[in-house]
Amino acid sequence: MARIVMKFGGTSVADLDRIRNVARHVKREVDAGHEVAVVVSAMSGKTNELVGWVQNMPKVAGADHSIYDAREYDAVVASGEQVTSGLLAIALQAMGVNARSWQGWQIPIRTDNAHGAARILDIDGEDMVRRMKDGQVAVVAGFQGLGPDNRIATLGRGGSDTSAVAIAAAVKADRCDIYTDVDGVYTTDPRIEPKARRLKKIAFEEMLEMASLGAKVLQVRSVELAMVFKVRTFVRSSFEDPDAPGMGDLLNPPGTLICDEDEIVEQEVVTGIAYAKDEAQISLRRLADRPGVSAAIFGPLAENHINVDMIVQNISEDGSKTDMTFTVPSGDAEKALRVLGENKEKIGYDVVQSESGLVKVSVIGIGMRSHAGVAATAFRALAEKGINIKAITTSEIKISILIDGPYAELAVRTLHSCYGLDKS
Ligand code: ADP
Ligand code: ASP
Ligand code: MG
């Protein structure tokens, strides 16, 4: 007998029929004698709809701005998961399975007070575990917890993955299964490159990079937690027949295992390609090249919660003036330009230029640590397709390249094939 956490994403619970199908997956594990906690997302599209309502409410109510109370945002957007957790409990009960729903505050899942992007601090799973031991399935609303101010807090978009892994760590589950609309983690997004291959295993570090660099199959924070707490996490499909052979396999279920790198026997140099859309590039021209200039630029941006990603500084010929180029999410570009404008004197630049709608494509693989020439292969392949590179950053296990938006899909496919990822 094992303890298993099963998480089902938005497309897996998109309507009543799919919720019934999810209940069959859960029943399979219950019938095999396992203790089960289930984490659900809202029905697909629901959270977007709720976010839209929140964003429109101030203006509809007569305000001349779209600013809203982040605590009320959380009260609204957390509701999608309340619906699916109740519905799944009802579906399970109808199949003769003992089940009940749990909202984040009922467990409770304690978070910090960063409403809209809260972090889980602690999960007191005692009551839930006692009931699981008595044979009751816990159906937990993902994406939500309880802040220190006693208000509902949500964990950032895609946060149900994090709820699931955190619960798996808290209840010391043997396994955490993330069920979604693809049957595992692929070498790149299978919706962009049909030749992408499913990976049997991927190392935590690689999955962390893939997720941070745009592969939305898992929320970044969930991978961090799985890595720190050594949660055996599988990504697998909810769309397969729940009773197909092998679906209930305890040690080797179908899907991709996220694991320590030494569990991977045949490590490739490059494991995958990720991409992130909607990047904006900002360039400050003719800055005084003096100590403190970077702090003068990035300090105010950080204070305004603007996430700066790639940074490139040109070394000027005579050492007096320099250019600084960096990227931010497109949604933050306007705010960044305003902050830079307000600090123009202090920073001391001549002109600022910006460009939105760019894409960052990234090549990821821990094998890069011990192989030279990986970056050169990417640059050559992109050049052959006439794709211009605007900025580059590298780390030990990844190369990120900024390009024009319209070339995103071509670049992903080009990089995917230049490392032979489409060949098994
Ligand atoms: P859920 O609603 O189940 O949480 P998401 O939409 O958040 O599902 O994540 C699943 C999606 O992630 C897939 O439909 C796929 O298009 C996308 N994706 C991006 N990169 C990858 C990848 N490397 N492997 C698998 N899926 C990926
Ligand atoms: N429903 C939330 C979202 O759409 C959380 C999740 O699906 O993981 O972001
Ligand atoms: Mg998701």
Side-chain angles (χ1 to χ4, degrees), residues 110-186:
R110 300 254 173 219
T111 71
D112 64 15
N113 67 355
H115 284 278
R119 285 168 82 91
I120 295 177
L121 300 176
D122 179 55
I123 298 180
D124 179 358
E126 202 183 322
D127 198 16
M128 193 177 74
V129 169
R130 190 175 46 73
R131 288 168 188 252
M132 281 165 69
K133 280 187 181 153
D134 285 346
Q136 188 177 62
V137 173
V139 185
V140 182
F143 184 47
Q144 52 167 270
L146 186 66
D149 50 3
N150 232 15
R151 313 267 317 246
I152 293 170
T154 63
L155 309 179
R157 299 305 305 272
S160 299
D161 297 328
T162 301
S163 308
V165 175
I167 288 170
V171 306
K172 300 195 169 41
D174 299 283
R175 216 173 73 201
C176 180
D177 289 356
I178 307 285
Y179 286 82
T180 182
D181 55 2
V182 282
D183 59 358
V185 178
Y186 279 68

Side-chain angles (χ1 to χ4, degrees), residues 43-193:
M43 292 180 176
S44 64
K46 193 70 209 173
T47 310
N48 286 347
E49 183 186 25
L50 296 168
V51 170
W53 288 350
V54 171
Q55 288 171 339
N56 290 334
M57 193 70 254
K59 283 210 168 142
V60 169
D64 59 359
H65 57 74
S66 315
I67 302 163
Y68 47 79
D69 182 337
R71 292 161 301 188
E72 302 306 350
Y73 166 96
D74 277 350
V76 176
V77 301
S79 65
E81 275 72 10
Q82 176 157 345
V83 173
T84 45
S85 57
L87 287 173
L88 180 57
I90 292 171
L92 286 165
Q93 289 165 5
M95 291 179 188
V97 176
N98 180 9
R100 71 154 276 189
S101 66
W102 294 83
Q103 305 310 300
W105 61 269
Q106 289 171 315
I107 294 178
I109 297 174
R110 300 254 173 219
T111 71
D112 64 15
N113 67 355
H115 284 278
R119 285 168 82 91
I120 295 177
L121 300 176
D122 179 55
I123 298 180
D124 179 358
E126 202 183 322
D127 198 16
M128 193 177 74
V129 169
R130 190 175 46 73
R131 288 168 188 252
M132 281 165 69
K133 280 187 181 153
D134 285 346
Q136 188 177 62
V137 173
V139 185
V140 182
F143 184 47
Q144 52 167 270
L146 186 66
D149 50 3
N150 232 15
R151 313 267 317 246
I152 293 170
T154 63
L155 309 179
R157 299 305 305 272
S160 299
D161 297 328
T162 301
S163 308
V165 175
I167 288 170
V171 306
K172 300 195 169 41
D174 299 283
R175 216 173 73 201
C176 180
D177 289 356
I178 307 285
Y179 286 82
T180 182
D181 55 2
V182 282
D183 59 358
V185 178
Y186 279 68
T187 45
T188 194
D189 188 344
R191 286 182 208 287
I192 297 270
E193 174 52 284

Side-chain angles (χ1 to χ4, degrees), residues 329-350:
S330 278
D332 283 345
E334 215 184 296
K335 190 164 149 198
L337 291 172
R338 183 173 46 75
V339 172
L340 293 168
E342 286 163 5
N343 289 276
K344 186 164 193 262
E345 300 269 288
K346 250 189 270 164
I347 301 170
Y349 60 86
D350 191 1

Side-chain angles (χ1 to χ4, degrees), residues 28 54 61 121 145 153 227 230 318 370 400:
R28 178 190 67 232
V54 171
L121 300 176
M227 189 158 118
K230 298 258 178 278
D318 65 357
S370 49
S400 290

